[in-house]
Every structure is written in structure tokens, then in C-alpha cells.
Amino acid sequence: MKSVNQKNSINQYLVDPEYRFLFQCCRAVFSCEEVSYPKDIQQDRFLKILRYHKLVPQLYPLLKQCKELPDTLLREVQNLLEEHQQKILKLSGELVLLARLFARHQISWLCVKGPALSVQLYHDVAMRQSSDLDILVNEEDLDQVRQLLKEAGYRTSFDERSLNRKQYRYILDHASDQSFIHSEKNIHIELHWRLTYGKKVLPSNKDFFTGTTHVSIAGQAIPTIGDTMHALYLCRHGSVHIWFRLFWLWDVAYALRNMSDSEIKNLSELAQKYKMNKILAQSVYLAEQVFGINISSLHAQLAYPRSLVDTALQQIILKNRRSDKLTDMWHDFIYRMKLEESCSNKTAVAGLRLINPMDWRTIHLPEQLFFLYFPLKPFILLLRKIKKAK
């Protein structure tokens, strides 16, 4: 493994000036060092990257002290910070309202990531950027929670009543969440009935609800996942999305660096229990290579997953986005199959890729012909590509 301190590259990948400065700033925060502003970066591109990776609150204090940082750039970063603070106040206020709503109806729920994680991990609700609220409920409460959200003014991107019985059952069995938006408040909610794909994929809801902890936001107790389990979920979430936003990896690096030896041991045992060793290993080595931190206590237990780390570095450094190209979708599928360790997990990944609601919107088949979506998948993908090209 190559040094993270190379000036212009991480592993074999050359890093352009804007990303190089971003990585230098990130490592400087973790090492409590200072950085100097380089002359060869484009301010607009650096701001775009900083905003995209949602690292404004983490890096602003460092940038404020950065030598020779142009005043124009600092003002733009300050504007991004104020924009984030206004957004997080709105999300936090809505989270408090949801907590009270669910309490009145005796709904068991958890806030995943978002403002709750910001308080749990950083002890500051504004220290982590969030664009939506992720809520986990049990499947038996799903219909009631959907109705409560609709009565509160939220609408879904699709009406589940338009689904036939087999489509609805397939979503419940293979998907994990549904998006809601409040058009007046401009607030998005991701309503999860599980945090993994497929019923047989662990951890289960019972595992996440076990050890629930609470954080206080505006005086309201907000339930969230226990510290160590939340850290493991952050690893899975980032790995599944190939870490295309760096603030996910920042959360993991910060959590790992501040864990006690007993918590590290517990984390390792949970990864072993839920067959997430590859996921944890990728997270650890990426945190070290990108942010320069050292979690040596985990090295003896985790093999270095070179191909998984390289794939993630390519995503972070070279692509910096998600893609719907067929070749990239295929590579993403292969990556996911490598990431998962158990047959049930691989089957769940395949099940979600075989058919999904986008297929049903592309070609409408009656319920009795639902099985045809499987052999028609290649044609459906081609048809979507043709429609998009027009």
C-alpha cells in the first residue's frame, strides 16, 4: 500500500490540484496541522467539490485559518456554511415534530444518520451536512407511518396504490425505502422499513433497534442506532454507494479514531457476526489512505481488500458521481457481488438488480405476466437508454 502523504497521488491515481487541496485539508484537520493555500487551484471548482462532498462544516474552521486563502473564496465558503446551517435547522425542527407525531401514535422508530448522527458523533447538530431525514420503522408499522406522513403534508414519488399485488410484494421483499417530499417545506424523508436489501440480509431491524440510544435535539429525545452499530451501518452505507460523497467516509474515520479499544473489538465482532468483514476492511483502509488516520488495532483482523479499495478510490478521485450507463451499472453490480460475503446477501443484490419499479414504468405488464419482467430485463434497459437519448 502506497503512502497517503504522496503530494500528487493516492495509490496509483493522480489527483488534480483541487482534490489534492481538499485531501490536504481533510488530513490536516485529523492531524491538527495547518495548510497553505496553493496557487494552482480553480476556486469555482474547489467550491463545487467542497459542496458536493458535504464537508463545509468540517473544513470551514481550517480554511478560515488557512494562509493566503483569498477573501473571495472564504466568503463563498461562509455562504455555503450559512446555507447548511439554515437547512439543518429546518430538518431538526421537522425531526422534532416527527418525534412527537410518532410518540402520539406509539410508533417505534429510529433516526438514521442526519441530525441525530451529527449530535451522536460530533455533539453538534450543525457539524454534519444532511439533505434529508432517514427514518427506520418496522414493516408492520409501515402502512400507518405512510398514512401519518401523508396527513402531515408529505407526498410520495409514486402512489403505491397503483402497484399490483405482486409489484407491491416485490418492493417490500427486495427494496428498503420509499421517498417522501413536503412540497411547501421542501423537506425530503427517506422512509425505511429495513436498512439492508432483502429480508435475509443482516443486520435485521431487530438488531438495529436493540441497543437504541437517544440524543437531544431542541430538548426532544430522538431515538437512533447505538454508537457501534451506527458506525458499522455507516461502513455498509458508504461501501454500497462506493463512497461517492466523502463526508460518509469522514464520519467513519472520525468514529473509528475516537473509539476505545473495547469499542473497536465490539465493532470487529459485529462485522464478523453479520459477514461484513470486507466492508469494514474497505472502510478502514480508505479512511487511512484518504484522511491519513491510523487504526492499527484492526489491521491484524482485516485483510486488505485491494480491488474494493481501488474501486472506491476511482469513484472518489476520477468519477465523483453516480452513473446510469449500462457498463457502469454492470461494474457496480460486480462490485456489489464482491463486497458481499454470504450467499443470501449476493442473492438479495441480484434480486434488486433483476427488476425494480423503473422497469414497471418502462413497460406495463398485467399482474399475471409479472414473471416476464425477468427475461425482458435486457430489452427494458435498452429501451430506457433509447428513450433517454431522444
Side-chain angles (χ1 to χ4, degrees):
M1 183 167 36
K2 303 216 179 160
S3 170
V4 299
N5 294 318
Q6 293 183 64
K7 185 176 181 181
N8 297 315
S9 66
I10 295 181
N11 275 12
Q12 71 270 33
Y13 305 109
L14 292 177
V15 182
D16 65 27
E18 293 76 23
Y19 266 95
R20 185 171 70 242
F21 183 50
L22 180 71
F23 295 147
Q24 288 173 350
C25 290
C26 290
R27 289 194 288 267
V29 171
F30 280 101
S31 62
C32 299
E33 297 177 354
E34 295 182 351
V35 294
S36 296
Y37 180 74
K39 303 295 185 182
D40 58 344
I41 73 169
Q42 301 176 27
Q43 290 187 32
D44 290 344
R45 174 164 164 72
F46 176 74
L47 282 168
K48 183 178 180 180
I49 290 171
L50 184 64
R51 183 171 192 167
Y52 176 82
H53 287 292
K54 298 186 176 183
L55 290 172
V56 174
Q58 289 91 340
L59 297 186
Y60 172 73
L62 177 81
L63 292 172
K64 189 176 180 180
Q65 302 299 323
C66 181
K67 297 176 181 178
E68 300 179 358
L69 189 78
D71 291 339
T72 54
L73 178 56
L74 182 60
R75 282 195 296 270
E76 290 295 334
V77 177
Q78 288 172 333
N79 290 338
L80 292 179
L81 182 65
E82 292 173 1
E83 178 184 308
H84 151 65
Q85 290 171 338
Q86 293 172 2
K87 177 70 173 179
I88 208 66
L89 283 174
K90 181 190 292 187
L91 288 176
S92 299
E94 190 68 8
L95 188 59
V96 169
L97 293 178
L98 289 173
R100 294 170 180 170
L101 176 66
F102 294 154
R104 287 198 300 270
H105 292 272
Q106 298 182 324
I107 301 293
S108 296
W109 69 289
L110 296 174
C111 177
V112 182
K113 301 181 294 168
L117 176 63
S118 188
V119 175
Q120 182 182 26
L121 194 57
Y122 304 105
H123 309 291
D124 183 347
V125 74
M127 197 60 194
R128 185 180 186 275
Q129 290 186 250
S130 300
S131 57
D132 57 19
L133 296 173
D134 288 88
I135 302 300
L136 174 66
V137 300
N138 289 306
E139 187 176 322
E140 58 264 28
D141 295 325
L142 184 58
D143 289 340
Q144 183 182 6
V145 174
R146 280 173 171 161
Q147 185 59 36
L148 289 174
L149 290 177
K150 290 176 182 178
E151 291 173 359
Y154 284 90
R155 294 294 177 265
T156 62
S157 55
F158 72 91
D159 187 352
E160 60 272 10
R161 292 175 298 181
S162 66
L163 302 175
N164 62 45
R165 179 177 55 85
K166 290 187 177 179
Q167 290 172 337
Y168 185 69
R169 189 70 253 169
Y170 197 87
I171 286 179
L172 288 181
D173 290 345
H174 295 275
S176 62
D177 59 79
Q178 183 178 5
S179 297
F180 287 77
I181 183 171
H182 198 296
S183 56
E184 294 181 4
K185 296 180 179 180
N186 191 27
I187 291 178
H188 294 251
I189 290 177
E190 291 293 322
L191 179 62
H192 300 257
W193 53 94
R194 69 173 67 91
L195 294 180
T196 57
Y197 296 125
K199 286 187 173 182
K200 296 182 179 180
V201 179
L202 298 177
S204 66
N205 275 17
K206 181 179 178 180
D207 297 318
F208 284 112
F209 276 95
T210 300
T212 296
T213 189
H214 291 77
V215 298
S216 178
I217 296 180
Q220 175 67 47
I222 304 295
T224 190
I225 307 171
D227 295 0
T228 308
M229 181 65 86
H230 214 158
L232 186 63
Y233 171 70
L234 294 176
C235 293
R236 170 174 278 282
H237 179 266
S239 291
V240 166
H241 293 289
I242 326 181
W243 307 100
F244 71 90
R245 292 197 197 273
L246 271 177
F247 84 125
W248 295 327
L249 187 59
W250 181 290
D251 290 336
V252 170
Y254 190 91
L256 290 173
R257 193 190 67 167
N258 289 283
M259 280 185 174
S260 65
D261 291 341
S262 61
E263 288 172 327
I264 287 287
K265 181 181 178 182
N266 187 26
L267 179 66
S268 178
E269 291 173 349
L270 287 175
Q272 181 73 26
K273 176 181 178 180
Y274 299 126
K275 299 185 184 302
M276 293 170 60
N277 286 319
K278 288 182 181 179
I279 287 173
L280 180 58
Q282 184 204 45
S283 305
V284 168
Y285 285 102
L286 278 175
E288 291 190 341
Q289 293 190 49
V290 175
F291 297 139
I293 67 172
N294 181 22
I295 313 110
S296 57
S297 57
L298 281 169
H299 287 181
Q301 307 166 50
L302 300 170
Y304 176 52
R306 181 174 296 279
S307 65
L308 295 177
V309 171
D310 286 347
T311 299
L313 286 174
Q314 289 179 46
Q315 180 70 39
I316 293 169
I317 297 171
L318 304 179
K319 295 183 180 179
N320 318 121
R321 61 181 176 83
R322 296 291 288 187
S323 173
D324 59 358
K325 293 182 180 178
L326 294 182
T327 53
D328 288 344
M329 290 171 64
W330 172 249
H331 291 153
D332 178 75
F333 174 73
I334 296 300
Y335 163 82
R336 286 294 309 278
M337 296 300 278
K338 289 181 179 179
L339 191 66
E340 303 295 351
E341 298 179 29
S342 70
C343 292
S344 60
N345 289 23
K346 293 179 186 293
T347 301
V349 171
L352 191 65
R353 295 301 191 277
L354 282 175
I355 58 173
N356 58 60
M358 290 184 66
D359 300 332
W360 309 334
R361 290 193 287 268
T362 303
I363 296 180
H364 300 282
L365 294 176
E367 182 175 346
Q368 60 268 30
L369 297 180
F370 181 80
F371 68 94
L372 288 179
Y373 281 112
F374 295 93
L376 286 174
K377 182 68 175 187
F379 173 75
I380 292 172
L381 289 174
L382 181 60
L383 184 59
R384 279 213 298 267
K385 186 176 181 181
I386 292 173
K387 287 182 177 180
K388 187 173 182 179
K390 290 182 178 180

